[in-house]
Amino acid sequence: MKTPFDVPNFFAGFRFINDPRYWDADNQQFLDQAGYGMHCKKTAGTVTFGNHAPFGREGILLDNSCQFQIEMSNPWEITVLAIVKGHVETGNQINRLLLFGDAVTSSSNGQLHVNANVSATSLVSTMATPNAGQSTGNNTHTEDVIFATAFGFDQEMRKGYRTTDGITVTESAQATATVNGNATSPGWNGNVGLSGLETNRYVRVGNLSGVIGDTAANLTNYLNLFALFFFHGRTLRPGSTTLAKFKAMLDSEKAWYGAA
Amino acid sequence: MTGVVPARARQYFPNGQGKPLNNGRVYAYHAGTLDPMDTWQDANLTVLNAWPIELNSRGECLIFMSPMFLYKLVVTEEDINGVEVTVLIDDPVLAGGDKPLTPEFTADYFSGDGVTTQFVLSVNPTSENNTFVHIAGTYVPKSAYSLAQNVVTFTTPPAVGTNNVEIQTVQLVEFSASASLISSQVAQSTLNAQAAQDWATKTSGEVVVGQGYGAKKYAQDAGASAANALASQNAAAASASAALIQAGVYVDEPTGRAAVADGVAFKVQGSGNVAAYEYRRVNAGTVSTLIATYPSINYVDDTFHERFFAAQAKSFEDRRMRVQTQRKKLALVLIGLGQSNNAAYNTPVSPVSVSNTAVQFIGGNAVGDLDFYPVASNHSVNWADVASYVPWATGTVEHPLTGAIIMLEGLFPKIYAHSAAYGGNAILMLSGAARLANLCAFVHRMCDFARADGYEPVVAYTLVQGEANMSSYGLLDEATYYTHLSSYTRIAQRVAAQAMDAPHYKAPIILHNLAESSHGADSRGVQNAIGRVAAETPNAMLGGHLGQWALNGDLIHGYGNGFRQRGEQDGWLFGRFFTDGTIFTGLYPVDAFRSGDMMTVTWNRELERDASNPIASLLNVGYALGGAEYVYDGTNYVAIRGVSVVGRRTTFTLASNPGAAVGTEEFRVGMQTTNAAGGTWPQLAAGSQFRSASLQDRWVSPYDGTTQYVWASPRKLPVRAA
């Protein structure tokens, strides 16, 4: 069995399990398993745990009513692995799993979202930066089935990567060479004012609507979140040794969760 | 098994005179031996004869023998003296006047064509159990075919092949033994007897040629049997896994696809850690979509968590051991943080140049290009800026890190230095989400370089904060400034730990004071906040006020030599940290009380006053003495006229007795609100003439050979009654 510790530059990780090794009930936070103290703190609502097929693995319900934040020392190049299940009854519904920053306009935040498509494909996930609109493209999934989805960025190549199996890695188009690397750095787009100073360095987790302060539960479009792992660097670059290590880890995680 | 009686069921034995052998005996042995053998009284071999067989008065007995063996019969009688003598020995004796039965194997070969399912055998096996079928050498279970008379019918037609269908039939036929065969069987029988003896006595090796092995071999076989049992256990676990995923598990994806309709999910049996795969059929001609992988039951237990945490513990230990084993190969990653006072500025100074052990990012031919952004823009580092590094060079500007590098050369084999300093909004730039990427980029890339060069990186920060964050971005009051600066230092240290892959590492970070005074109490609050953060942040050190060094005409930035000398202090502090673990907390007052016109202040270390320090010319002597001030009620100053210094204690003489204690009196150092000329930029007056008296708290500047000191850091504290 391989773990995220077998992948270079593992800098934050969470399992959303009601177990004191993962969930600090006293402080209402999921503990950063990488050891850097970037805990996932609850900011709104009540945590609802639930067991899910096929193996009864535990995860939490994200229906916009329960939200969290991670004080993210946001890396220049980032790779994210999320193990999720999505239920969406409305076409084109965007469920924002992660929002980097707190720009009022959600598209001004780097984000990872799970989207109900209007086409035959029921569910897609993608990750995007707010600057220059760099996007990794969509991974496709099956509704109500646990899936693993991974995204990453590469400053040198100015590309985004995505994969669900660690084998087939789809590269985005190369971002235009600019004076800076914002295109491949998820974050917060816009000048930081004093009012946003305390919050824009956080990654919001579970604010599905993307509207700050909106905690209304969405009963028809929601996610179940099982695990989140963050890595620094171009982990998913095709042909790299880090990708091979990532795949081995991904295989273990998928096998345990029974994820597609 | 049916026994066979010789010639007649009732055997007659004569004596030596040809008369009935009255009360004679018949001894049955295995042919060629004296090993007793059973005989029976009935053809079904159910009623055993006694051994030996007692003949009746007519010399008769009922004797049936097994058709599977050759016998030796010895007939005896008692002579006149009652002594038993042998009358006859028949050896060997074939069981029966009828011939015994023996198995006979018949093989029929057919050529499969992929269509034909029925094949006619040359014999009638009478039962499927008497047939053995192989197709292309692979055994075919009996469930895959049926037998009617001598016709075998397969469920699935055998594939095309020449004589690829082999059907073997076994029948019992009459045994036809030639004399030579009998002889050979006797010999074989003898061998068997020897084999039995050897099996019982030999502990290794073959018992006799072609007769198998001894006890050791069978012990080995027993071990193999145990392995088989384990395999059976695993197979049972696999079956349990199959049960876990319930019914509808197909052998492979094509089989499952063929069995279900479009859009329907089905499972396929897995192996190893995978119990099954779940697919969803697209259509008959397309490989189905894999939608889930189910782990085997052996894989589904709490060992997953145990392994995860074991990996976590090992990861932490590996990091610690790596640093420990690489201690002699630590390289320093030195990052300047904050405002323009940590960016390149002014003009370069000489004569001391850094050696080639220090490098910077390629992003600029001098240190100025990357690290000084005057506006609040969303800079995130371009790859081209940090793709590689070049020797440290100040170019047309000077940088505080130059002084630090000079002081640290020799302590580290290589120094990777750069500046993540920005214009007037240091905290804003680096505590915002997108801007953090800049700091991460610098620190991670520098650490990557160090590792690529064979070193283990350690990160250190020097930080300048102050006036611009207040004046331009509204971080005015002490509480707000404290909150953000605390986050800023915490995040910076976390970034270092992550880049170093060392979760418990707290990077040393030197804070400097650079607060303006035009915001009155808030200005002093910010100074205080910087001091508090320095005291509370792990491995933070306080480097004092930048005004202690020569400043540029803008009264904010240092001259080139002032930049370098201040950097020397940073290098000196880092040097102490990395060599003897000293965390230098600066020089500051810790207690003050007043009695009449006498105010006594206690400091955190022994100090002395340097009245020759030119900063005196900048102080408003109407208020301050050597940078120290007394305020009676928050607004009214009382001038200080004299001071005596003994050890850690200073006694100030006020110009007058301000009266009874009012509870709002303050002692301040390095916080004068106006300078000698009453200028609008009184940062110049924010230094002091008080410095640490310890010989350990000074160094000689490589720049000009002068002795440099640690000066009192700006601080205020209430004055209590004596």
Side-chain angles (χ1 to χ4, degrees), chain B residues 114 212 429 691:
Chain B
M429 288 295 284
R691 68 191 187 198

Side-chain angles (χ1 to χ4, degrees), chain B residues 341 343-352 394 396-404 406-407 546 548-553 557-570 614 699 701-706 708:
Chain B
N341 261 294
Y345 205 79
N346 220 291
T347 55
V349 296
S350 21
V352 180
T394 58
T396 58
V397 290
E398 189 51 85
H399 198 291
L401 293 186
T402 302
I406 290 172
M407 294 294 286
L546 296 187
Q548 293 291 159
W549 289 276
L551 296 182
N552 194 33
H557 302 93
Y559 281 119
N561 56 349
F563 256 29
R564 174 170 289 194
Q565 285 177 321
R566 193 259 294 175
E568 289 174 3
Q569 186 197 38
D570 292 343
W699 67 96
S701 168
Y703 165 63
D704 57 8
T706 59
Q708 299 293 313

Side-chain angles (χ1 to χ4, degrees), chain B residues 359-382:
Chain B
V359 296
Q360 65 184 53
F361 285 126
I362 194 174
N365 55 8
V367 290
D369 286 8
L370 272 180
D371 46 13
F372 179 43
Y373 293 115
V375 295
S377 57
N378 292 316
H379 294 289
S380 189
V381 178
N382 192 310

Side-chain angles (χ1 to χ4, degrees), chain B residues 550-607:
Chain B
L551 296 182
N552 194 33
D554 64 5
L555 305 183
I556 298 176
H557 302 93
Y559 281 119
N561 56 349
F563 256 29
R564 174 170 289 194
Q565 285 177 321
R566 193 259 294 175
E568 289 174 3
Q569 186 197 38
D570 292 343
W572 172 74
L573 291 175
F574 284 133
R576 294 185 63 178
F577 176 85
F578 284 114
T579 51
D580 59 19
T582 299
I583 300 173
F584 188 79
T585 55
L587 170 66
Y588 53 86
V590 294
D591 180 68
F593 64 88
R594 180 180 65 82
S595 175
D597 61 353
M598 300 296 289
M599 178 175 61
T600 302
V601 177
T602 304
W603 302 71
N604 68 329
R605 62 184 67 219
E606 293 184 4
L607 74 162

Side-chain angles (χ1 to χ4, degrees), chain A residues 45 76 96 118 173 175 229 258:
Chain A
W76 187 47
R96 296 163 184 84
V118 293
F229 300 112

Side-chain angles (χ1 to χ4, degrees), chain B residues 249-556:
Chain B
V249 181
Y250 296 93
V251 173
D252 52 26
E253 187 276 327
T255 306
R257 190 198 323 158
V260 303
D262 291 353
V264 174
F266 61 93
K267 298 185 181 72
V268 170
Q269 180 69 52
S271 62
N273 285 336
V274 178
Y277 302 94
E278 183 165 12
Y279 291 88
R280 188 184 304 281
R281 172 170 150 151
V282 179
N283 55 51
T286 304
V287 175
S288 304
T289 303
L290 180 64
I291 59 177
T293 302
Y294 300 132
S296 69
I297 197 166
N298 288 336
Y299 200 66
V300 183
D301 54 37
D302 281 345
T303 58
F304 179 86
H305 298 288
E306 292 169 5
R307 290 171 181 173
F308 178 81
F309 288 110
Q312 186 187 58
K314 183 176 184 304
S315 171
F316 296 164
E317 179 64 12
D318 285 350
R319 290 161 175 156
R320 191 181 69 79
M321 292 301 295
R322 189 172 61 249
V323 171
Q324 200 168 55
T325 57
Q326 297 270 353
R327 285 188 69 83
K328 293 180 180 177
K329 294 190 68 178
L330 293 180
L332 180 65
V333 174
L334 180 61
I335 303 291
L337 293 174
Q339 300 177 185
S340 54
N341 261 294
N342 251 352
Y345 205 79
N346 220 291
T347 55
V349 296
S350 21
V352 180
S353 298
V354 300
S355 70
N356 59 4
T357 59
V359 296
Q360 65 184 53
F361 285 126
I362 194 174
N365 55 8
V367 290
D369 286 8
L370 272 180
D371 46 13
F372 179 43
Y373 293 115
V375 295
S377 57
N378 292 316
H379 294 289
S380 189
V381 178
N382 192 310
W383 169 260
D385 295 331
V386 294
S388 59
Y389 60 72
V390 294
W392 178 269
T394 58
T396 58
V397 290
E398 189 51 85
H399 198 291
L401 293 186
T402 302
I405 290 168
I406 290 172
M407 294 294 286
L408 290 166
E409 283 181 329
L411 183 59
F412 293 94
K414 196 158 187 174
I415 299 172
Y416 302 82
H418 214 83
S419 177
Y422 296 85
N425 56 345
I427 293 177
L428 291 170
M429 288 295 284
L430 288 179
S431 59
R435 289 83 174 168
L436 279 175
N438 296 285
L439 177 59
C440 288
F442 288 157
V443 178
H444 278 266
R445 284 297 296 162
M446 283 301 193
C447 288
D448 288 345
F449 287 146
R451 292 192 189 93
D453 292 340
Y455 302 106
E456 193 66 30
V458 291
V459 179
Y461 296 114
T462 173
L463 168 65
V464 174
Q465 294 288 354
E467 38 79 29
N469 282 291
M470 294 185 66
S471 59
S472 300
Y473 297 95
L475 297 181
L476 293 174
D477 61 278
E478 179 174 346
T480 303
Y481 203 98
Y482 171 82
T483 298
H484 296 308
L485 183 59
S486 296
S487 301
Y488 181 74
T489 52
R490 181 178 69 247
I491 292 172
Q493 288 185 323
R494 183 187 299 149
V495 169
Q498 290 170 335
M500 290 170 56
D501 198 19
H504 303 301
Y505 181 74
K506 300 296 183 188
I509 181 168
I510 300 172
L511 282 76
H512 291 279
N513 303 80
L514 179 64
E516 67 168 20
S517 301
S518 59
H519 289 90
D522 283 337
S523 298
R524 293 185 291 275
V526 167
Q527 299 278 29
N528 240 30
I530 294 171
R532 288 170 56 198
V533 171
E536 296 167 8
T537 304
N539 290 347
M541 294 177 273
L542 194 56
H545 202 289
L546 296 187
Q548 293 291 159
W549 289 276
L551 296 182
N552 194 33
D554 64 5
L555 305 183
I556 298 176

Side-chain angles (χ1 to χ4, degrees), chain A residues 33 55 71 178 180 182 191 260, chain B residues 291 295 312 376 378 380 382 490:
Chain A
Q33 299 300 320
F55 303 132
E71 188 185 62
T178 58
N180 59 58
N182 274 347
N191 290 338
Chain B
I291 59 177
Q312 186 187 58
N378 292 316
S380 189
N382 192 310
R490 181 178 69 247

Side-chain angles (χ1 to χ4, degrees), chain B residues 202-207 213-217:
Chain B
K202 294 187 72 173
T203 57
S204 65
E206 291 188 344
V207 292
Y213 299 86
K216 184 176 181 180
K217 171 62 178 174

